[in-house]
Amino acid sequence: MSMIEIAAPLTDGAELKDWVLLIAGNIFIVILAVRGIGYYAKREWGELIGHLMAAVVIAGIVYAPNVAIGLFRGIWEKVAGA
């Protein structure tokens, strides 16, 4: 009788993090787009521009998370003086 060892590689969860960021970010972008269409239909231009700016920020975080982290770290270092 022999035992077979099955060794599963340990992961740091990077793939799961990327997947969650992608799904959550896309959901936020869809919500912002739907609300933006509503603001466009009502001709509420200020709200539309605000939503578009929020969508750009969220898209940057979702599709370029490493760049966003570097940007936030840089801003925090300027604010905190680290």
Side-chain angles (χ1 to χ4, degrees), residues 69-81:
I69 289 170
L71 177 70
F72 291 140
R73 278 191 183 144
I75 292 171
W76 181 252
E77 288 174 359
K78 298 265 190 234
V79 171

Side-chain angles (χ1 to χ4, degrees), residues 6-33:
I6 299 176
L10 297 175
T11 64
D12 59 358
E15 295 87 11
L16 178 63
K17 179 191 77 164
D18 292 341
W19 183 79
V20 168
L21 270 176
L22 187 65
I23 297 300
N26 285 334
I27 289 171
F28 283 130
I29 289 171
V30 167
I31 290 170
L32 287 172

Side-chain angles (χ1 to χ4, degrees), residues 40-68:
Y40 177 77
K42 293 179 185 177
R43 298 188 185 270
E44 294 176 351
W45 305 115
E47 295 289 331
L48 176 62
I49 291 171
H51 273 55
L52 289 175
M53 289 190 299
V56 167
V57 170
I58 291 173
I61 292 170
V62 170
Y63 297 114
N66 294 332
V67 174

